[in-house]
Amino acid sequence: MSGTAQIGVTGLAVMGRNLARNFARNGYTVAVHNRTTAKTDALVEEFGDEGAFVAARTPEEFVAALERPRRLVIMVKAGEPTDAVIQEFAPLLDEGDVIIDGGNAHFEDTRRREKELRGRGIHFVGAGISGGEEGALNGPSIMPGGSAESYASLGPMLEKIAAKAKDGTPCTTHIGPDGAGHFVKMVHNGIEYADMQLIGEAYQLLRDVAGYSPAQIADIFRTWNTGRLDSYLIEITAEVLSHVDAATGKPFVDVVLDRAEQKGTGRWTVQIALDLGVPVSGIAEAVFARSVSGHADLRDASRHLAGPTARKLREDEAPAFADQVEQALYASKIVAYTQGFHEITAGSEQYDWDIDLGKVAAIWRGGCIIRAAFLDRITSAYEAQPDMPSLLSDKSFAEEIAAAQDDWRTVIATAVAQGVPTPAFAATLAYYDSLRAERLPAALTQGQRDYFGAHTYHRTDREGTFHTLWGDDKSEVEN
Ligand code: 6PG
């Protein structure tokens, strides 16, 4: 027997609840289920008038409520809870049914689950969902992986509930097989970390070097948000900076403990990049910056470490410096995205996913945390040249960086001279300069490796693998 609900959501914490409401508000009948039934009842009681919900008390009731092929979304914590829920529901399903994991799962877990369930005839869709609580309710960016067949059955529904870009395109697309969706969501989060860190560094410079107050910096960010930096993260940064703590009357940002936490997706982005051999230095510095901030013990000892104190500029000098920081932020941001897209290219090649980078950029234009006006241009760049080796191969981005780079360098030099830490600014510029360099010191590294370990090297002037007999007459042998 087949039920009436077109989709089911199990796991009704904030994200699950909001996603269920989003489906219902878009006209779908939604079966809802939670381990503790109180949450199911509360959802139906509070939001029952938003659409058609079927409250299920048991897994059996939940599965029976779904029309076939069944589509059920799991919204529980990544890791073991997800496996436990899959084990609970899979035996109740039939061939052709679709399980969707909407959590921030590690893509390797998704690959494992997909394979296991495929063997049982069940489609498993690892779907990255970005946009936080608000996005889940009003339109997230959705990055589903899995079989093309599962997307045929699920895609139209996802397209309906997803955010829409300014041109009306839904912010979801079939990313690729098995773990592709969660991989792309992971990299999204890595870029998110870099974006946030770069904004943080810009804030610190505007405060410590230019001498602006948080409220003034909020205004600067508001202005930036009307230009090429237009993005969700810049917009909310202005909101956070202009917020005043009710208890103390101080800027909110001054009463929050400066230790950044992380759930892990940014860290995964870097771990996987290391495995794939992809240089994501800007993203890595953002992850490390969070770790440094969390080491209260190390930072306490650092009180004894000498260094310059940032010098506040004269009031009339500050606006010009703020303009330079905008240039630096934009240039570094382009590099951080370049690194993220490179990691997606490498993942796609490694796992045979055939990911369309233009489509990824397109579905990040709305709904997700890194949504930004310039993703329109990244979309067009990849549409025009799908195989470009790097975003920096695009002429218009390269030209923009060329125009920004004097200020970019000045800002970083100022930060270094004045002792303001700007690890992500500096790492992204170093990446850019590494790509520009005609010769890198890697030749010397090869010489050292050959010296102490006979690790061999290649020559610039002829084919082959060589080793120098360093201890003897330093003659060269071909291996
Ligand atoms: C999103 C966010 C979301 C989230 C992460 C990041 O795309 O909606 O990235 O997935 O906020 O949990 O959190 P951490 O900063 O704790 O790693």
Side-chain angles (χ1 to χ4, degrees):
M1 212 189 66
S2 184
T4 56
Q6 285 119 332
I7 191 127
V9 179
T10 178
L12 300 176
V14 187
M15 289 294 285
R17 186 178 63 179
N18 283 1
L19 202 68
R21 290 173 60 198
N22 189 350
F23 278 115
R25 286 167 164 201
N26 276 288
Y28 296 110
T29 301
V30 188
V32 283
H33 170 263
N34 195 67
R35 204 159 40 88
T36 50
T37 51
K39 280 209 170 123
T40 317
D41 295 339
L43 166 59
V44 176
E45 202 177 301
E46 265 181 78
F47 306 108
D49 57 352
E50 289 184 350
F53 294 101
V54 181
R57 311 206 148 264
T58 62
E60 290 74 14
E61 256 182 63
F62 182 60
V63 167
L66 296 168
E67 71 172 29
R68 292 183 188 195
R70 302 182 183 95
R71 290 171 283 250
L72 64 108
V73 185
I74 299 176
M75 293 298 289
V76 299
K77 277 212 179 85
E80 278 171 25
T82 304
D83 281 316
V85 173
I86 293 172
Q87 290 322 319
E88 191 174 10
F89 284 95
L92 307 175
L93 300 179
D94 293 312
E95 261 187 42
D97 288 349
V98 187
I99 298 183
I100 303 112
D101 173 14
N104 268 336
H106 194 292
F107 76 97
E108 289 286 15
D109 283 338
T110 303
R111 282 166 61 76
R112 165 177 60 77
R113 291 168 183 145
E114 196 275 339
K115 193 171 170 210
E116 209 175 290
L117 289 165
R118 189 168 6 111
R120 295 155 83 166
I122 297 169
H123 297 283
F124 184 72
V125 173
I129 301 182
S130 178
E133 295 173 31
E134 206 271 335
L137 183 61
N138 296 317
S141 173
I142 311 176
M143 294 148 252
S147 64
E149 200 184 330
S150 63
Y151 192 80
S153 135
L154 184 69
M157 299 179 76
L158 297 184
E159 286 166 21
K160 201 141 182 217
I161 66 152
K164 306 293 174 294
K166 284 207 175 92
D167 65 3
T169 321
C171 293
T172 187
T173 189
H174 181 225
I175 302 284
D178 58 75
H182 275 139
F183 186 94
V184 166
K185 174 64 183 10
M186 173 190 79
V187 176
H188 165 284
N189 281 27
I191 294 174
E192 172 185 304
Y193 276 48
D195 229 338
M196 291 166 73
Q197 174 64 22
L198 291 168
I199 290 172
E201 292 176 16
Y203 153 75
Q204 183 109 2
L205 287 164
L206 292 173
R207 191 134 188 213
D208 293 351
V209 177
Y212 286 117
S213 68
Q216 287 172 315
I217 301 171
D219 284 339
I220 293 170
F221 277 104
R222 279 194 192 101
T223 311
W224 289 356
N225 202 38
T226 61
R228 60 190 181 171
L229 282 171
D230 175 355
S231 62
Y232 173 71
L233 282 170
I234 293 281
E235 180 192 327
I236 65 162
T237 302
E239 292 297 303
V240 174
L241 286 174
S242 56
H243 180 51
V244 173
D245 175 53
T248 59
K250 291 183 183 168
F252 166 79
V253 75
D254 287 348
V255 299
V256 175
L257 200 62
D258 60 340
R259 286 186 209 159
E261 295 176 11
Q262 52 183 312
K263 292 205 204 74
T265 41
R267 189 170 53 233
W268 293 345
T269 309
V270 179
Q271 286 170 337
I272 302 303
L274 291 172
D275 291 342
L276 292 169
V278 179
V280 292
S281 48
I283 298 172
E285 286 298 349
V287 177
F288 289 139
R290 289 198 192 187
S291 339
V292 168
S293 80
H295 277 285
D297 46 352
L298 292 182
R299 293 179 62 193
D300 200 44
S302 75
R303 288 182 204 288
H304 315 297
L305 301 177
T309 310
R311 189 171 44 83
K312 304 254 188 297
L313 298 173
R314 283 200 324 265
E315 215 174 298
D316 61 322
E317 293 169 330
F321 182 69
D323 288 346
Q324 292 181 313
V325 174
E326 192 267 352
Q327 299 276 3
L329 179 52
Y330 187 65
S332 287
K333 185 175 161 114
I334 293 174
V335 172
Y337 279 67
T338 299
Q339 295 181 343
F341 276 95
H342 183 192
E343 184 163 350
I344 296 176
T345 308
S348 181
E349 277 168 14
Q350 170 81 16
Y351 298 101
D352 240 342
W353 284 328
D354 199 19
I355 296 176
D356 181 330
L357 296 181
K359 284 194 176 150
V360 171
I363 66 163
W364 285 350
R365 291 178 301 165
C368 66
I369 303 296
I370 64 168
R371 61 187 182 260
F374 94 140
L375 277 159
D376 253 337
R377 298 198 24 238
I378 301 185
T379 307
S380 315
Y382 276 113
E383 275 168 6
Q385 295 180 74
D387 295 327
M388 58 180 175
S390 148
L391 192 53
L392 294 178
S393 316
D394 177 74
K395 205 165 152 265
S396 73
F397 282 118
E399 279 168 4
E400 276 183 312
I401 294 208
Q405 69 172 299
D406 286 350
D407 288 336
W408 195 17
R409 294 177 193 284
T410 304
V411 165
I412 293 165
T414 306
V416 171
Q418 301 205 19
V420 179
T422 50
F425 272 169
T428 44
L429 175 57
Y431 173 90
Y432 178 76
D433 281 335
S434 297
L435 299 199
R436 284 177 55 248
E438 257 177 51
R439 295 278 296 161
L440 289 168
L444 178 57
T445 307
Q446 284 298 79
Q448 292 161 330
R449 293 178 69 248
D450 191 59
Y451 188 104
F452 63 64
H455 292 301
T456 73
Y457 51 88
H458 298 289
R459 295 183 57 101
T460 56
D461 53 359
R462 55 184 199 275
E463 292 289 308
T465 306
F466 300 91
H467 168 55
T468 291
L469 302 168
W470 293 98
D472 306 328
D473 59 351
K474 301 199 174 36
S475 58
E476 186 174 71
V477 288
E478 187 164 359
N479 276 29

